[in-house]
Amino acid sequence: MRWKRTLTMIGCHVGGEVNDVVTGGLGEIRGATVFEKRLYFEEHYDQLRRSLLLEPRSGPARCVNFVVPACDPRAQLGYIIAETTEYPAMSGSNTICTATVLLETGMLPMTEPVTEIVLESPAGLIPLRCECKDGKVESVRFTNQPSFVQHLDAHIEVPGHGSVRVDVAWGGMHYAIADARSLGFSIAPDEARDICQLGRMITQAAAEQLSAVHPEEPRYAGITMTEFAGPLGRQNGVLHSRNAVVVPPGRLDRSPCGTGSSARMAVLSARHELAAGEDFIHESIIGSQFSCRIEETTTVGGRPAVIPSVAGQAWITGISQLGIDPTDPFADGYTLPDIWLGPA
């Protein structure tokens, strides 16, 4: 066996969404902030993303997090989030999995019943409140960076579907949020393929027809996700809704989606349907749930914004060592359109 690089990876999922965590073997990732480290990683180490997330080692429904030293002294560690087509500034499900791995493997000390830590994401500092019992992390609540609306009731032209109304909001990525019911979806598992196909078309149309640039960080530009929002209701007296987020290159987030939940709360706040301090349950297409809340309101670039928090539980699924053989013709991974609905 001859490997030019060996990585240690902890398997983890939250709400059914696989968000593995690389804890060893990276080497030096340069940068004065984790955002700069993410840029350096993308330029110099993108082969690792492709190797770990594309075939023959993986498939579309998977993300990976690379643990790096924090740059801000207020944070214990940092992490770079990688998906099959992009490096998000922030991801809630990946954050929950990363925190769970760090605590349950002992990379960070666990204190029961509550461990409070701060991680540095590419989007900035993320405070976390982790409820722990008998060595298990039973809940991770992260407080996200501010989320805000870019467009309300915008209309885009989608080929074959005419005019489609969407809201656009930032929750760590820019989301086009469409009403599921008006498009004929109840967000049931047997609709998954159709939701993905329409979602890809909406994402492309929204990205082409609507401007979405973060007012404080212009490198956070463009709409890359579509979220289908179900109707609001009550579950045991708490505001509740299902949702389905279409992740490039064309598959569904299995979890309720942390940044999608943050973007949805920004829209609900703008429509006066969710107040600060009010609980909100967001449910995925497979029935997993996140407990969400607007902690407070603020402004970003002069526009109204919310500071959301989202809680969920993750489970470690295994520990593996992965290697890259220098003679492997598929070391950089590949995709085929039988399961990959777009370029990776």
Side-chain angles (χ1 to χ4, degrees), residues 102-116:
L102 294 176
L103 291 174
E104 291 194 9
T105 62
M107 290 185 67
L108 290 178
M110 179 187 293
T111 301
E112 299 182 10
V114 174
T115 303
E116 293 188 353

Side-chain angles (χ1 to χ4, degrees), residues 286-342:
I286 63 171
S288 55
Q289 296 185 347
F290 283 167
S291 173
C292 309
R293 185 168 60 238
I294 296 173
E295 297 295 340
E296 58 182 296
T297 59
T298 185
T299 60
V300 174
R303 69 190 65 192
V306 301
I307 297 179
S309 73
V310 178
Q313 184 176 9
W315 287 265
I316 290 177
T317 58
I319 301 174
S320 59
Q321 281 194 312
L322 304 175
I324 300 173
D325 189 314
T327 66
D328 186 347
F330 301 117
D332 291 347
Y334 66 88
T335 63
L336 285 175
D338 59 336
I339 61 172
W340 299 83
L341 299 184

Side-chain angles (χ1 to χ4, degrees), residues 198-281:
L198 180 55
R200 291 179 66 239
M201 297 173 68
I202 291 175
T203 299
Q204 181 176 351
E208 292 173 350
Q209 298 170 38
L210 299 174
S211 173
V213 179
H214 195 289
E216 296 181 347
E217 178 46 80
R219 288 173 292 187
Y220 299 156
I223 299 167
T224 59
M225 301 280 189
T226 290
E227 178 177 353
F228 290 86
L232 294 173
R234 293 280 171 179
Q235 186 179 82
N236 299 320
V238 178
L239 195 67
H240 166 271
S241 179
R242 287 174 74 89
N243 87 108
V245 168
V246 181
V247 180
R251 58 95 176 176
L252 289 186
D253 192 324
R254 273 62 175 154
S255 81
C257 188
T259 53
S261 296
S262 298
R264 180 87 186 275
M265 283 189 278
V267 170
L268 293 175
S269 175
R271 296 190 184 282
H272 306 290
E273 294 174 321
L274 181 68
E278 183 181 0
D279 290 332
F280 170 53
I281 300 298

